[in-house]
Amino acid sequence: MAAKAGDNPDSLMALATVFCLRNLRKTMCYQGFRNKLCLRSDIFLPSEICDKLVHMYMELVHTDSNFEPEESFLQLFSDPRSTRLTRVQLREDFVRDKDLEAIRKQDLIELHLTYCNSLSSHSLKTLACFRETLVSLCLFGCSHIFYRKGGAPLACNEDSEDEDEESPASRQALETDFTFQGFNRLRLLNLGGLPDEVDTETLLKPLKLLTSLDLSNVQLLGTAFLTQWKDRLAYLVLYNVDLSEELVSTVVQLVNLRHLDISRESRRTSKFKMTRKILTAIVQRLVNLVSFDISGHIMLDNCTVPHFEEAMGRPSTEPCKSSIYPFQELKRPLQFLGLYDTTLCNVTHIPAYKVTGSKSEDQVLNAIEAYTDFRPELAHRAINQLFDIARIQHCTQLLRALQLVIAALKCHKYDKSIQVTGSAALFYLTNTEYRSDQSVRLRREVIQVVLNGMEQYQEVTVQRNCCLTLCNFSIPEELEFQYSRVNQLLLKILEPARQDESIQRIAVHLCNALVCQVDNHHKEAVGKMGFVKTMLNLIQKKLQDRMCDQVMEFSWSALWNITDETPDNCQMFLNCQGMSLFLECLQEFPDKQELHRNMLGLLGNVAEVKALRPQLLTPQFITVFSNLLDSKADGIEVSYNACGVLSHIMFDGPEVWSMEDPQREAVMKKMWDAIQSWDVNSRRNINYRSFEPILRLLPQSISPVSQHWATWALYNLVSVYPAKYCPLLIKEGGINLLERVLELESSQSETKDMARKVMEQCENFKEDPMETNHAQEVNYGQRG
């Protein structure tokens, strides 16, 4: 059997790394003085393991809400005699000056800091500690690192609440003492987002041997300084840098360039027009180019071959057939060509193996892949286009699409626009059309990023998208590995007094599905989270609005499910004035059959708990239950459930019946009459996981009518759904109990006749189970 998409297992190294990080004190660490986390003295970890530990630690911090960050985690790597770090990647505001200072003694070869806005110029001084070994350095989006912290001394201001703000007051004075002097091994440098106040030319002057330079979003006062690397530079990124004739003439002198990126975020912000002459000059002079990005530029019409002159046949990557005139000069097809947000992506023949654009699914996926790490503004637009493809057309590269969207949501957990478009795309990429191609592992990854989005954003669109995406999964089975977390998030959504109606409806539906068909310990745990109180609050609000809608009905259904065989939750229902709400709903909505069925199902669960039955034994409640015996709502369901509640109450005997009105005998007569009126072949909107609450009513003489109700219930279920309920009855010892019913003198003749028929039905099923397998196709409703 072929593996499904995304089914590759984690490596043993990855599994072991995650285990150690989740259990630091049990594996490689101990609790030191003042609870400081310390590395055990008998441990030495090589760079392959240390690099992996730091990388996976950052991954867990940003993507797993159950993972508890350690205040001094990087301090574990402070001593190169026991730990060796060579390649470190840190991102977001989580990283502080003291974290970088903790590893200052390490001989780092590669240090990537991305969007680390909590770093100040103190970390520039720490960078100097790595100058003799550092080969690759990224400071992308770390705009605050070039400013001194104001006020207190540097080391004392680590936890300032204001340090993440970008105001001049928090950034204070520009750091002027830092220099790249002595970084003689540095070859790859990313300074994307360098503040305008920093003199780029002066800062870079000491770096004579650069081969890769990224100056995305940097304001360049002059460009001639780039020529100091004209014989060495192979990789140059000038994304969102204003192009000019001067800059282009400088760039074409960098004859060893293999990757050139002069793209922009959008044509709307571009003043420079890309002409055929400029593109031709770049292609002719930079003969080593294998990757070229001109996304977001305004292209003049003279760049493209007229449609009627284009080469015939299928789309081709051969330069000689190129529909873009300047690229006919290429010696070979480019490996990568960025044409996103340009008119050029729509032509037929493009001489490149991988193209970004918006014309096709492949171009859109290439754009998400190329721009996710450092250009979320472009990735957001590309994911939006993928959303349209999945919604309107058909996604042919499902695994790649899902993995790219998941990666974008993980990478930009704090970017609202990515979270909105990404969660919307996931909804369509996980629906029924694509489901059969997805592995358990892949679908779990989707669930985790969806829950991350729900945790991070309380905004309506994100919450709605995430809830709708969860509806594409088998509930509760596929959500069980995150059961507690998803319930907590849904209950949090339902907390506000007035919530968006659509989100409220979806969230209540999910809550209901999550507590249906799960073990009792799950129900008890969710009950302790405030589930019962939350549902009753929703019901109270709907009563105030005099509205019986899906939220009202789902809330009662959820209470029915969560109280099934869980006495603690039944107790909570009573403690939270649930019976008062039951009576109010009954009075306010007398004709709502589904509502009545759900409420009576719930009260059946409460009545099964002996210790709670006295709270139901009041003239008011007994009268209500007795009157509902006559109900024809939802077939026999409301009458059946009301009779079930009364059967359990009657089972406690006449001595607990202290009221004069209604009289016990009169109520029992009404129960007999109701049972006699039911069609034993009625199809049911109910699902029993166990017959135990019914079976306890069989071998007794205290209340013959309760015995009769229980026997009728069994007869109906094994007759209509034998394949489901005959095995269950046999398994739970029901046949022996029915035999005892036949032996009891107090049992009524009608009850004995029905008991025999139940036993015969089970016997017949054992002899020929195939006869009734069609009954398995019934769509059973829920019984708590």
mmCIF file of all heavy atoms in Angstrom, residues 20 105 108 131 152 161 179 252 279 324 333 401 416 422 459 492 559 571 630 656 690 717 742:
data_model
loop_
_atom_site.group_PDB
_atom_site.id
_atom_site.type_symbol
_atom_site.label_atom_id
_atom_site.label_comp_id
_atom_site.label_asym_id
_atom_site.label_seq_id
_atom_site.Cartn_x
_atom_site.Cartn_y
_atom_site.Cartn_z
ATOM 1 N N CYS A 20 14.622 15.220 24.758
ATOM 2 C CA CYS A 20 15.554 15.846 25.706
ATOM 3 C C CYS A 20 15.114 17.260 26.072
ATOM 4 O O CYS A 20 15.172 17.665 27.235
ATOM 5 C CB CYS A 20 16.961 15.878 25.108
ATOM 6 S SG CYS A 20 17.771 14.268 25.053
ATOM 7 N N LYS A 105 31.506 32.746 23.902
ATOM 8 C CA LYS A 105 32.785 32.018 23.843
ATOM 9 C C LYS A 105 32.807 30.952 22.756
ATOM 10 O O LYS A 105 33.841 30.323 22.525
ATOM 11 C CB LYS A 105 33.074 31.374 25.202
ATOM 12 C CG LYS A 105 33.312 32.376 26.319
ATOM 13 C CD LYS A 105 33.598 31.671 27.639
ATOM 14 C CE LYS A 105 33.792 32.670 28.770
ATOM 15 N NZ LYS A 105 34.026 31.986 30.078
ATOM 16 N N LEU A 108 31.448 30.389 16.585
ATOM 17 C CA LEU A 108 30.345 30.298 15.633
ATOM 18 C C LEU A 108 30.834 30.524 14.208
ATOM 19 O O LEU A 108 31.611 31.452 13.933
ATOM 20 C CB LEU A 108 29.263 31.319 15.954
ATOM 21 C CG LEU A 108 28.490 31.152 17.268
ATOM 22 C CD1 LEU A 108 27.349 32.160 17.325
ATOM 23 C CD2 LEU A 108 27.945 29.746 17.404
ATOM 24 N N ARG A 131 34.160 37.362 15.628
ATOM 25 C CA ARG A 131 34.717 37.910 14.389
ATOM 26 C C ARG A 131 35.776 37.020 13.744
ATOM 27 O O ARG A 131 35.940 37.046 12.518
ATOM 28 C CB ARG A 131 35.277 39.310 14.627
ATOM 29 C CG ARG A 131 36.436 39.395 15.610
ATOM 30 C CD ARG A 131 36.899 40.863 15.761
ATOM 31 N NE ARG A 131 37.958 40.990 16.751
ATOM 32 C CZ ARG A 131 37.739 41.197 18.043
ATOM 33 N NH1 ARG A 131 36.491 41.305 18.477
ATOM 34 N NH2 ARG A 131 38.743 41.293 18.890
ATOM 35 N N ALA A 152 18.904 53.025 32.066
ATOM 36 C CA ALA A 152 19.774 52.208 32.909
ATOM 37 C C ALA A 152 20.917 51.610 32.093
ATOM 38 O O ALA A 152 20.864 51.547 30.879
ATOM 39 C CB ALA A 152 18.955 51.094 33.541
ATOM 40 N N GLU A 161 9.686 46.662 29.641
ATOM 41 C CA GLU A 161 8.445 46.439 28.905
ATOM 42 C C GLU A 161 8.406 47.260 27.619
ATOM 43 O O GLU A 161 7.694 46.940 26.682
ATOM 44 C CB GLU A 161 7.243 46.799 29.778
ATOM 45 C CG GLU A 161 7.056 45.850 30.944
ATOM 46 C CD GLU A 161 5.834 46.220 31.746
ATOM 47 O OE1 GLU A 161 5.095 47.123 31.334
ATOM 48 O OE2 GLU A 161 5.624 45.602 32.805
ATOM 49 N N THR A 179 32.104 48.165 14.345
ATOM 50 C CA THR A 179 32.722 48.033 13.035
ATOM 51 C C THR A 179 32.921 46.564 12.703
ATOM 52 O O THR A 179 33.034 45.724 13.604
ATOM 53 C CB THR A 179 34.088 48.763 12.980
ATOM 54 O OG1 THR A 179 34.711 48.472 11.738
ATOM 55 C CG2 THR A 179 34.994 48.316 14.119
ATOM 56 N N VAL A 252 25.853 45.865 -13.120
ATOM 57 C CA VAL A 252 26.344 45.099 -14.282
ATOM 58 C C VAL A 252 27.868 44.965 -14.285
ATOM 59 O O VAL A 252 28.420 44.198 -15.085
ATOM 60 C CB VAL A 252 25.850 45.718 -15.610
ATOM 61 C CG1 VAL A 252 24.340 45.635 -15.712
ATOM 62 C CG2 VAL A 252 26.340 47.150 -15.781
ATOM 63 N N LEU A 279 17.110 45.326 -19.205
ATOM 64 C CA LEU A 279 17.139 43.874 -19.021
ATOM 65 C C LEU A 279 18.178 43.225 -19.920
ATOM 66 O O LEU A 279 18.894 42.302 -19.525
ATOM 67 C CB LEU A 279 15.754 43.277 -19.312
ATOM 68 C CG LEU A 279 14.744 43.261 -18.174
ATOM 69 C CD1 LEU A 279 13.435 42.637 -18.622
ATOM 70 C CD2 LEU A 279 15.265 42.534 -16.951
ATOM 71 N N ILE A 324 10.199 36.649 -23.914
ATOM 72 C CA ILE A 324 10.736 37.886 -23.347
ATOM 73 C C ILE A 324 12.043 38.172 -24.084
ATOM 74 O O ILE A 324 13.021 37.425 -23.957
ATOM 75 C CB ILE A 324 10.979 37.739 -21.834
ATOM 76 C CG1 ILE A 324 9.686 37.293 -21.130
ATOM 77 C CG2 ILE A 324 11.476 39.046 -21.231
ATOM 78 C CD1 ILE A 324 9.870 36.819 -19.707
ATOM 79 N N PRO A 333 18.957 28.132 -19.791
ATOM 80 C CA PRO A 333 17.822 28.543 -18.959
ATOM 81 C C PRO A 333 18.275 28.874 -17.536
ATOM 82 O O PRO A 333 19.208 28.250 -17.005
ATOM 83 C CB PRO A 333 16.898 27.325 -18.973
ATOM 84 C CG PRO A 333 17.303 26.522 -20.158
ATOM 85 C CD PRO A 333 18.761 26.757 -20.336
ATOM 86 N N ALA A 401 1.666 22.166 -1.473
ATOM 87 C CA ALA A 401 0.865 23.322 -1.056
ATOM 88 C C ALA A 401 0.661 23.334 0.455
ATOM 89 O O ALA A 401 0.856 24.360 1.122
ATOM 90 C CB ALA A 401 -0.483 23.309 -1.772
ATOM 91 N N LYS A 416 -0.459 38.773 11.357
ATOM 92 C CA LYS A 416 -1.898 38.556 11.241
ATOM 93 C C LYS A 416 -2.325 38.256 9.799
ATOM 94 O O LYS A 416 -3.174 37.394 9.558
ATOM 95 C CB LYS A 416 -2.648 39.784 11.766
ATOM 96 C CG LYS A 416 -4.162 39.665 11.674
ATOM 97 C CD LYS A 416 -4.817 40.947 12.134
ATOM 98 C CE LYS A 416 -6.261 40.998 11.692
ATOM 99 N NZ LYS A 416 -6.890 42.279 12.013
ATOM 100 N N GLY A 422 -3.487 32.144 5.448
ATOM 101 C CA GLY A 422 -3.039 30.756 5.608
ATOM 102 C C GLY A 422 -4.123 29.847 6.156
ATOM 103 O O GLY A 422 -4.338 28.738 5.658
ATOM 104 N N GLU A 459 -8.887 37.744 16.822
ATOM 105 C CA GLU A 459 -9.575 38.458 15.747
ATOM 106 C C GLU A 459 -10.573 37.534 15.045
ATOM 107 O O GLU A 459 -10.329 36.337 14.868
ATOM 108 C CB GLU A 459 -8.511 38.964 14.754
ATOM 109 C CG GLU A 459 -8.980 40.019 13.806
ATOM 110 C CD GLU A 459 -9.545 39.425 12.538
ATOM 111 O OE1 GLU A 459 -9.211 38.274 12.208
ATOM 112 O OE2 GLU A 459 -10.338 40.115 11.889
ATOM 113 N N LYS A 492 -12.699 29.378 25.362
ATOM 114 C CA LYS A 492 -12.254 30.771 25.439
ATOM 115 C C LYS A 492 -12.979 31.620 24.395
ATOM 116 O O LYS A 492 -13.351 32.768 24.655
ATOM 117 C CB LYS A 492 -10.736 30.848 25.218
ATOM 118 C CG LYS A 492 -10.159 32.224 25.462
ATOM 119 C CD LYS A 492 -8.642 32.205 25.370
ATOM 120 C CE LYS A 492 -8.063 33.590 25.644
ATOM 121 N NZ LYS A 492 -6.583 33.598 25.524
ATOM 122 N N LEU A 559 -24.435 19.520 26.327
ATOM 123 C CA LEU A 559 -24.659 19.167 27.731
ATOM 124 C C LEU A 559 -25.158 17.737 27.864
ATOM 125 O O LEU A 559 -24.796 17.014 28.803
ATOM 126 C CB LEU A 559 -25.669 20.141 28.353
ATOM 127 C CG LEU A 559 -25.163 21.571 28.583
ATOM 128 C CD1 LEU A 559 -26.311 22.483 28.969
ATOM 129 C CD2 LEU A 559 -24.076 21.592 29.656
ATOM 130 N N GLN A 571 -23.776 16.908 38.274
ATOM 131 C CA GLN A 571 -23.852 17.740 39.475
ATOM 132 C C GLN A 571 -23.624 19.212 39.133
ATOM 133 O O GLN A 571 -24.315 20.100 39.634
ATOM 134 C CB GLN A 571 -22.800 17.270 40.494
ATOM 135 C CG GLN A 571 -22.763 18.078 41.787
ATOM 136 C CD GLN A 571 -23.951 17.768 42.694
ATOM 137 O OE1 GLN A 571 -24.055 16.660 43.209
ATOM 138 N NE2 GLN A 571 -24.837 18.751 42.876
ATOM 139 N N ASP A 630 -46.865 12.701 26.990
ATOM 140 C CA ASP A 630 -47.849 12.785 25.910
ATOM 141 C C ASP A 630 -47.277 13.435 24.653
ATOM 142 O O ASP A 630 -47.966 13.521 23.632
ATOM 143 C CB ASP A 630 -49.066 13.598 26.369
ATOM 144 C CG ASP A 630 -49.757 12.944 27.566
ATOM 145 O OD1 ASP A 630 -49.776 11.701 27.621
ATOM 146 O OD2 ASP A 630 -50.268 13.690 28.431
ATOM 147 N N VAL A 656 -39.533 7.343 48.863
ATOM 148 C CA VAL A 656 -38.924 8.654 48.602
ATOM 149 C C VAL A 656 -39.941 9.624 48.003
ATOM 150 O O VAL A 656 -39.676 10.815 47.871
ATOM 151 C CB VAL A 656 -37.719 8.515 47.634
ATOM 152 C CG1 VAL A 656 -36.650 7.611 48.220
ATOM 153 C CG2 VAL A 656 -38.147 8.042 46.250
ATOM 154 N N SER A 690 -23.451 2.050 26.035
ATOM 155 C CA SER A 690 -23.581 0.995 27.039
ATOM 156 C C SER A 690 -25.047 0.892 27.456
ATOM 157 O O SER A 690 -25.769 1.898 27.477
ATOM 158 C CB SER A 690 -22.718 1.322 28.266
ATOM 159 O OG SER A 690 -23.016 0.453 29.346
ATOM 160 N N LEU A 717 -34.439 -1.480 20.257
ATOM 161 C CA LEU A 717 -33.084 -1.316 19.723
ATOM 162 C C LEU A 717 -32.561 -2.575 19.043
ATOM 163 O O LEU A 717 -31.955 -2.508 17.974
ATOM 164 C CB LEU A 717 -32.139 -0.867 20.839
ATOM 165 C CG LEU A 717 -32.426 0.543 21.399
ATOM 166 C CD1 LEU A 717 -31.651 0.792 22.678
ATOM 167 C CD2 LEU A 717 -32.118 1.613 20.360
ATOM 168 N N LEU A 742 -38.011 -12.973 33.676
ATOM 169 C CA LEU A 742 -39.002 -14.035 33.466
ATOM 170 C C LEU A 742 -39.290 -14.793 34.757
ATOM 171 O O LEU A 742 -40.397 -15.311 34.971
ATOM 172 C CB LEU A 742 -38.512 -15.002 32.391
ATOM 173 C CG LEU A 742 -38.304 -14.403 30.984
ATOM 174 C CD1 LEU A 742 -37.775 -15.464 30.031
ATOM 175 C CD2 LEU A 742 -39.606 -13.812 30.449
#
